[in-house]
Amino acid sequence: MHLQLRDVKSEDLEHLFQFQCEPEANEMADFPARDRNAFFEHWYQNILSNPAIAAQAIIVDDVVIGSIVLWQSENQWLLGYWVGREYWGKGYATNALRLFLSAHSTRPIFAEVAQHNVGSIAVLNKNGFTPMGVVEEADCDKPLLAFVLKN
């Protein structure tokens, strides 16, 4: 396995769109899928056009398997990642996040995850994030667990 990160390119968006359309992934993340137009508009308008946002594709053996994004909102650095369902449970997210964090020294970094998403909780824990408590988000059905990486 050869895992690497690189900036997300326009041609990666179709892969990322398909990953976020997976019903099981949406349930696990407790985040609704965007339709095609909304997804591409969000990525082009809010992510790829903003040089302050770090958006990296996760590549394994030359195949896009997911993404990691770091952005600032209300003076906090927030982290999000999404890995295609067929790549879950193989250590890719853990290793990709470790690689990503080694290249981005901004701290603290905050992340939120659905309480039932034990895989994502494990990824954060293995990368040094610590739990902060529970938060309510408008676009999620249930409260989320908040995590922070301080060092």
Side-chain angles (χ1 to χ4, degrees), residues 15-57:
H15 294 287
L16 301 180
F17 172 72
Q18 293 302 322
F19 295 150
Q20 70 91 49
C21 285
E22 297 169 342
E24 188 176 343
N26 297 126
E27 184 179 318
M28 190 62 65
D30 195 24
F31 193 84
R34 291 182 169 102
D35 68 28
R36 177 175 290 281
N37 289 339
F39 178 86
F40 281 87
E41 181 178 327
H42 172 71
W43 270 88
Y44 282 121
Q45 299 290 325
N46 300 327
I47 299 173
L48 296 180
S49 66
N50 186 340
I53 293 178
Q56 303 260 273

Side-chain angles (χ1 to χ4, degrees), residues 71-132:
W71 72 98
Q72 194 170 30
S73 177
E74 299 177 14
N75 296 318
Q76 290 186 332
W77 286 100
L78 303 174
L79 176 84
Y81 52 90
W82 199 282
V83 173
R85 185 175 169 271
E86 66 256 39
Y87 305 103
W88 293 357
K90 299 179 187 220
Y92 296 139
T94 298
N95 291 320
L97 185 54
R98 185 172 295 124
L99 186 61
F100 183 87
L101 292 170
S102 71
H104 294 86
S105 59
T106 301
R107 302 291 186 271
I109 298 175
F110 297 89
E112 296 174 353
V113 63
Q115 296 180 48
H116 61 272
N117 191 340
V118 294
S120 195
I121 292 168
V123 167
L124 292 172
N125 284 329
K126 289 176 186 176
N127 279 285
F129 282 79
T130 56
M132 295 176 40

